[in-house]
Amino acid sequence: MTIYANYAATTPALSPAVSGELREYLGGTHLNAGRNFEGLETGAIALRARRAVGKLFGVADPLRVLFSSGATQSLNMVINGLVRPGDHVLATGVEHNATARPLDLLRKSGVIELDWLRCRPDGSLDPGTVRNAIRKNTKLLVMTHASNVLGTILPVTECFRIAHEYGVLTILDMAQTGGVLPFIMEDYADVIVFAGHKGLGALAGGGGFAVGESIAERMRPWISGGTGSVSHSLDMPEFMPDRFEPGTQNTIGILSLAASVEEILSAGVEKIRERERGHTARFIAGLREIKKIHVCGTLDPDRCVSVVSVEVRGYDAGEVSRLLFENHGIITRSGLHCSPLAHKTAGTFPGGTVRFSFGSGTTEAEIEAILEALDSL
Ligand SMILES: Cc1ncc(COP(=O)(O)O)c(C=O)c1O
């Protein structure tokens, strides 16, 4: 028997209802949306997904919900679509490489100036840091909603309010919080980015982003190509969603998103959050009883998602992961978790940590079994 504690990387199984719907789809015909009459059904799948995702994230117009291969592609598209030469960009000291690498590439290429906002070692951030870092040419603030290493939830609403006071645009990376923490895009963020395969419970290789009303005009399409519309022109269409969805879309991934997000909506994000908070609270309380363990993020379950990184004194992180798997069948992820910035913030670079993350399939019994296994190391 295995215990899966790596939901921050991916949710390992689709729900029975979602996989049932996908099986049915796979038995039928598959056509391109917007390329022929029969493809109308494919367009309807996308619209269904846009409606569900739009409702989940508080996006007023479903046509402003766009699909891509995931959070990484989306972050590249929105960052590159919004910045212009000479812009100054801010991002936090706990960003995933999906944000950090495209930003640093733009900095190294001489396109932007870039500053990392310093977070506290537990991953938290003082919103005042944003005000102090804003300059005349600051264009963009990019923030992860919760660190994928420490689990700490960032004060995004306060930070974005400050950014907007200065006319700075805001991008929120919801890869770790989609389907887990409630958030209304129209109230706070100009752009949100989501991954399909984590808290949203959809297939890997899908995800996307949503943009505020005024952003669609300000953002350049960073990827362009055929859309089946305005084909006489070499320019991308002005209208949504075609402007940001060139090429053939990942219809089965989009269908999985529609079905899984509808499930999340009927379960209620608040209820999901409450359940995950309970798991995190019990896990952190249990970890505090084990002397050789140091919890790297916040100890307050109200201030984190179900992602907990630890160091085990006397052990290398990779060794702990291996022992947990070989002796107890527990699947974790050790190392730097694609976020060297977060580990530098936490003081765990370059050794890394062992990360435990819980999700829809996690049970209380599994949490107890993991605690026992750690205690027996
Ligand atoms: C905070 C954060 N941002 C972005 C990503 C990248 O997501 P995707 O796999 O959809 O490209 C991840 C995935 O680990 C993440 O945790």
Side-chain angles (χ1 to χ4, degrees):
M1 202 191 79
T2 57
I3 295 178
Y4 186 80
N6 194 19
Y7 280 85
T10 200
T11 291
L14 300 172
S15 81
V18 175
S19 56
E21 221 186 295
L22 297 191
R23 264 197 299 277
E24 204 175 298
Y25 171 79
L26 286 171
T29 45
H30 311 136
L31 298 163
N32 257 0
R35 282 22 174 220
N36 41 41
F37 289 119
E38 297 82 0
L40 286 175
E41 200 188 316
T42 306
I45 290 173
L47 186 58
R48 177 181 156 200
R50 287 185 221 287
R51 286 201 174 116
V53 172
K55 193 163 177 202
L56 181 68
F57 294 132
V59 185
D61 180 356
L63 295 184
R64 287 194 267 111
V65 174
L66 293 316
F67 299 115
S68 73
S69 72
T72 303
Q73 187 184 329
S74 300
L75 283 159
N76 276 271
M77 287 173 77
V78 299
I79 289 170
N80 284 282
L82 285 170
V83 297
R84 303 286 179 271
D87 284 342
H88 174 231
V89 177
L90 295 172
T92 79
V94 291
E95 295 306 312
H96 189 277
N97 275 344
T99 293
R101 283 183 171 164
L103 284 178
D104 198 53
L105 187 61
L106 284 164
R107 179 194 65 79
K108 283 196 284 247
S109 315
V111 179
I112 61 165
E113 294 163 17
L114 176 62
D115 277 313
W116 302 112
L117 299 169
R118 188 183 286 270
C119 297
R120 302 183 190 99
D122 69 356
S124 60
L125 175 73
D126 171 3
T129 318
V130 174
R131 195 182 298 280
N132 295 338
I134 288 175
R135 303 189 205 150
K136 273 211 173 82
N137 61 337
T138 307
K139 168 66 133 330
L140 202 58
L141 167 61
V142 193
M143 287 181 72
T144 187
H145 199 178
S147 162
N148 69 305
V149 174
L150 301 164
T152 311
I153 299 166
L154 294 183
V156 291
T157 54
E158 294 90 327
C159 293
F160 285 1
R161 207 172 286 130
I162 294 169
H164 285 158
E165 269 177 46
Y166 296 86
V168 173
L169 297 175
T170 56
I171 298 176
L172 184 63
D173 174 358
M174 295 191 68
Q176 291 297 333
T177 55
V180 173
L181 280 189
F183 189 78
I184 308 289
M185 183 193 85
E186 305 285 2
D187 288 351
Y188 301 107
D190 295 305
V191 180
I192 57 147
V193 165
F194 55 92
H197 61 113
K198 300 180 195 277
L200 295 184
L203 282 178
F209 57 101
V211 297
E213 199 170 9
S214 63
I215 298 303
E217 291 148 28
R218 302 176 67 172
M219 197 164 98
R220 272 192 311 225
W222 189 61
I223 300 180
S224 54
T227 54
S229 55
V230 200
S231 296
H232 62 276
S233 170
L234 291 184
D235 292 331
M236 285 293 280
E238 296 285 330
F239 54 85
M240 306 287 275
D242 295 27
R243 186 160 178 74
F244 300 110
E245 282 185 355
T248 301
Q249 300 298 300
N250 171 11
T251 307
I252 189 149
I254 294 171
L255 177 60
S256 73
L257 257 173
S260 59
V261 173
E262 283 168 4
E263 267 192 352
I264 289 170
L265 288 169
S266 55
V269 182
E270 280 84 3
K271 283 229 171 77
I272 294 171
R273 164 68 181 155
E274 204 34 50
R275 185 173 178 276
E276 293 207 354
R277 190 205 158 280
H279 286 147
T280 318
R282 170 65 196 121
F283 189 57
I284 293 175
L287 289 175
R288 294 179 79 173
E289 306 278 301
I290 308 173
K291 283 213 168 57
K292 54 185 171 288
I293 294 217
H294 166 235
V295 179
C296 300
T298 173
L299 296 172
D300 179 354
D302 287 333
R303 293 174 50 225
C304 63
V305 291
S306 263
V307 177
V308 181
S309 256
V310 306
E311 289 177 303
V312 185
R313 287 184 193 97
Y315 287 83
D316 166 80
E319 198 184 351
V320 176
S321 266
R322 184 180 59 77
L323 289 171
L324 287 175
F325 182 65
E326 285 178 1
N327 298 340
H328 305 274
I330 297 168
I331 299 168
T332 59
R333 182 157 169 217
S334 59
L336 296 178
H337 314 94
C338 296
S339 184
L341 291 178
H343 282 281
K344 283 179 185 164
T345 292
T348 50
F349 183 86
T353 54
V354 187
R355 182 183 71 182
F356 299 84
S357 50
F358 309 117
S360 50
T362 306
T363 62
E364 282 171 22
E366 287 181 340
I367 303 272
E368 298 305 328
I370 296 171
L371 288 168
E372 261 174 47
L374 280 168
D375 200 23
S376 73
L377 269 181

